[in-house]
Amino acid sequence: MSRRFRPFASVRARATAGATVVVALALVVAGAAVLLALRSSLVDQTDAQAESAARKVASELATGLSYDKLDLSDDDNPVRVLNEDGRVVAHTEELERLSGERVRDVRPEPKTPSTAPGSGDSDDPDDPDDSDDLDDAAEDKEDAAEDAAERANGAEDSDDGSDDGSDDDSLKPGEIDDETRITERSATVDGETTEYRFAAVRVNTESKGELTVDAGAPLTTERNAVTTALTAMLIGFPVLLAVIAAVTWLVTRRALRPVDAIRGEMAAITASEDLARRVPEPDTHDEIARLARTTNETLAALQASVERQRRFVADASHELRSPIASLRTQLEVGAAHPELLDVAGAVEDTVRLQELAADLLLLARLDAGEKPGQGRVELAALAREELSQRPADRVPVTTALESVEVAGSRGQLSRVLGNLVTNAQRHATARITVTTRTEGAWAVLEVADDGNGVPAAERERIFERFVRLDDARSRDEGGAGLGLAIARDVAARHGGTLTVDEAPGGGARFVLRLPQVRPEGARGTARSAEDHRH
């Protein structure tokens, strides 16, 4: 698959997808929490409603009200009353079934086998009504046995740990139990089956003994509310996610529009090779604006570097052309007229060409980031060696040398000293002084002359490549203008500085500062003294 059609290849697509996924997860978690809280609240309300109905009937029974006078007419809160044997003694008329068992009408207590005269009751076992009564009685006994078994298990659990076998949960006549047992069961009321929350409350009556009032409240409201909320979430959440995705896409596109403009301008600069162009900078103060400013600064530095290289190449070509042209002329004249060949001039032009080539090669290595060596160089010894190898200079050089060591390339530092002395020879009148000394953590090498000095406005410009301050001076006498540039570059590579100021007696004073290192002898002396102390 190409990069163009790769899914989520753009920042906008990834940001939109990420925001949508995060919001979707948050909505799912929040929606689940809301549904659970809503259901819990509605179930608590239903339990309270069922308990209220149960305690209302229990209060009526506690006052001695008979079964037929109980208020059991509320279809929304079906009620049944059970005696101690678990037998249903009263219930709401519309309550038909409860958790799979049929709720039957209240039946009187069985009488003696003899019937009252004129009662019309028949003892004939073949009577179908009597047969139905027997079937119902059998079912009642089964239901009563099941309820009695449940209550017996509860009684055993409540009696664990008692020593005397007494019933701590027994109620006094007319007393209603403070505890309520909540269960969830299905019930059929007036032909409709649904889920109910039932609250069971015990009450003790004087005439009927201990009874249990079981009152229910439907969960229809809770189910409907949860279903409605879930439906609203299922419809609203996708719409909300679509809106969030669209807004994120639009906002991200607007935020990244300056980036696209920067990219387009950079592509145009690359194609045109015009480093004078700049990318647009937005008026904001955000990260993109800082990116644009940094990009323009980089382009400006790159433009300056390229222009410097172009000037360097142009100046180098010009400097090379002069000695090459002079040398060619002399050789051509010598070829035509051997007696007129200026051998000394040819040698001088060749030496000048060699020195210029060496300077250009050294600058190229410095520009490439060549690191200086880490050898130890003693500046006083270096100055003596360099000055002893110089030919007879026009102006004598006096020295005031103090032993001081630095780390670096001996050849490059010797080149720096040679360039500084050569420059001083061009401008000095009668005196040149070379000094080495220490200045705190720095090793200092100074070359001072008694010439005209360097104007304050030109003290930085003279360190640029191919720069000469004396335009009237011939190129043969003035050099190529690379010596001071090389000296400063070497000083910077060694972690030091090279500056120029006015000498105490007039003229120019070039000051080279390099990080000083302790000489080996001093360290050995210190170690010996320490060993002696130990």
Side-chain angles (χ1 to χ4, degrees):
M1 183 179 293
S2 65
R3 293 176 61 88
R4 182 171 181 174
F5 297 101
R6 186 179 300 171
F8 305 113
S10 66
V11 176
R12 279 183 293 174
R14 291 196 294 270
T16 302
T20 304
V21 170
V22 170
V23 174
L25 293 176
L27 289 177
V28 169
V29 173
V34 169
L35 290 178
L36 291 176
L38 177 62
R39 183 182 184 281
S40 177
S41 177
L42 293 176
V43 168
D44 290 342
Q45 294 180 10
T46 304
D47 292 345
Q49 181 181 354
E51 183 179 2
S52 176
R55 290 194 176 277
K56 177 183 176 182
V57 176
S59 299
E60 295 177 353
L61 291 171
T63 59
L65 200 65
S66 61
Y67 298 140
D68 56 351
K69 293 183 179 180
L70 295 175
D71 184 9
L72 306 177
S73 60
D74 190 357
D75 297 342
D76 292 335
N77 299 112
V79 179
R80 69 171 184 172
V81 181
L82 296 85
N83 59 14
E84 295 183 57
D85 298 331
R87 183 183 181 86
V88 179
V89 294
H91 66 85
T92 301
E93 183 177 358
E94 288 78 8
L95 179 60
E96 300 173 2
R97 288 186 177 275
L98 185 62
S99 295
E101 66 181 48
R102 192 174 71 178
V103 181
R104 295 170 183 80
D105 294 337
V106 179
R107 297 193 177 275
E109 295 294 334
K111 299 182 184 296
T112 58
S114 60
T115 58
S119 63
D121 291 339
S122 172
D123 293 335
D124 185 0
D126 295 331
D127 189 349
D129 293 335
D130 293 341
S131 176
D132 292 341
D133 293 342
L134 292 174
D135 293 339
D136 292 343
E139 293 179 1
D140 289 342
K141 290 180 179 180
E142 293 177 1
D143 295 341
E146 293 178 0
D147 291 339
E150 293 179 0
R151 296 180 183 280
N153 291 334
E156 291 177 359
D157 294 338
S158 62
D159 289 342
D160 288 342
S162 59
D163 296 334
D164 55 359
S166 62
D167 188 2
D168 294 338
D169 293 337
S170 61
L171 302 175
K172 298 178 181 180
E175 183 181 1
I176 301 175
D177 194 358
D178 293 334
E179 296 183 0
T180 304
R181 184 167 61 93
I182 303 295
T183 58
E184 184 173 332
R185 309 173 70 178
S186 61
T188 302
V189 179
D190 200 14
E192 295 182 3
T193 302
T194 186
E195 294 293 325
Y196 281 78
R197 298 281 289 186
F198 278 88
V201 178
R202 294 189 304 149
V203 59
N204 196 335
T205 62
E206 294 182 357
S207 58
K208 306 175 185 64
E210 185 174 310
L211 302 174
T212 301
V213 179
D214 214 0
L219 288 171
T220 306
T221 302
E222 177 265 336
R223 299 291 169 83
N224 292 339
V226 172
T227 302
T228 302
L230 180 60
T231 303
M233 291 180 183
L234 293 177
I235 296 174
F237 282 5
V239 175
L240 181 59
L241 290 176
V243 172
I244 291 174
V247 171
T248 305
W249 178 272
L250 295 176
V251 170
T252 307
R253 183 178 67 176
R254 182 178 180 84
L256 295 179
R257 189 176 298 166
V259 177
D260 195 35
I262 294 174
R263 183 206 59 79
E265 186 63 24
M266 289 297 294
I269 293 173
T270 303
S272 64
E273 299 183 357
D274 183 8
L275 296 178
R277 299 174 62 173
R278 297 293 181 266
V279 300
E281 295 186 12
D283 297 331
T284 58
H285 299 281
D286 55 7
E287 292 82 356
I288 297 178
R290 292 194 291 272
L291 172 64
R293 286 192 291 272
T294 304
T295 302
N296 285 334
E297 292 173 359
T298 303
L299 289 174
L302 182 60
Q303 180 185 10
S305 176
V306 170
E307 291 178 354
R308 184 169 58 252
Q309 291 296 329
R310 289 174 179 172
R311 288 196 304 269
F312 177 77
V313 172
D315 292 338
S317 300
H318 182 77
E319 294 294 335
L320 288 171
R321 184 176 59 181
S322 297
I324 290 176
S326 176
L327 181 61
R328 177 181 177 181
T329 301
Q330 295 180 39
L331 292 176
E332 288 177 350
V333 171
H337 306 281
E339 69 279 3
L340 299 179
L341 178 62
D342 185 5
V343 177
V347 171
E348 183 180 353
D349 288 339
T350 303
V351 171
R352 180 182 175 188
L353 185 62
Q354 181 182 6
E355 292 177 351
L356 181 58
D359 289 344
L360 294 176
L361 180 60
L362 179 57
L363 284 174
R365 292 204 307 266
L366 293 175
D367 289 341
E370 179 181 353
K371 300 294 183 181
Q374 295 300 319
R376 303 175 68 85
V377 180
E378 208 281 314
L379 290 184
L382 177 70
R384 295 189 189 95
E385 180 181 355
E386 175 65 22
L387 294 176
S388 65
Q389 294 177 358
R390 294 181 65 85
D393 288 328
R394 181 179 62 87
V395 179
V397 180
T398 60
T399 59
L401 304 178
E402 177 184 338
S403 179
V404 57
E405 287 190 356
V406 297
S409 170
R410 186 179 186 86
Q412 292 183 5
L413 294 177
S414 177
R415 184 66 174 273
V416 171
L417 178 59
N419 289 352
L420 294 179
V421 173
T422 300
N423 180 75
Q425 288 287 340
R426 291 194 183 105
H427 302 285
T429 301
R431 185 181 70 256
I432 298 176
T433 304
V434 176
T435 305
T436 60
R437 57 185 173 84
T438 59
E439 189 177 281
W442 296 96
V444 180
L445 185 149
E446 294 181 356
V447 177
D449 62 67
D450 59 351
N452 296 327
V454 180
E458 303 290 344
R459 288 177 182 174
E460 283 298 319
R461 182 170 171 267
I462 62 174
F463 293 105
E464 297 179 5
R465 298 173 183 181
F466 300 105
V467 170
R468 302 178 187 86
L469 298 184
D470 189 1
D471 294 335
R473 183 175 51 200
S474 66
R475 292 185 181 273
D476 290 341
E477 295 177 355
L482 293 176
L484 295 180
I486 291 175
R488 171 164 277 191
D489 285 351
V490 171
R493 297 293 179 187
H494 283 73
T497 60
L498 177 62
T499 59
V500 60
D501 56 14
E502 186 176 354
R509 181 178 64 176
F510 289 85
V511 181
L512 173 66
R513 287 183 173 86
L514 298 174
Q516 180 185 4
V517 296
R518 296 179 60 186
E520 292 288 347
R523 291 194 296 181
T525 303
R527 284 197 298 267
S528 300
E530 184 177 358
D531 294 339
H532 180 71
R533 286 194 301 269
H534 287 301

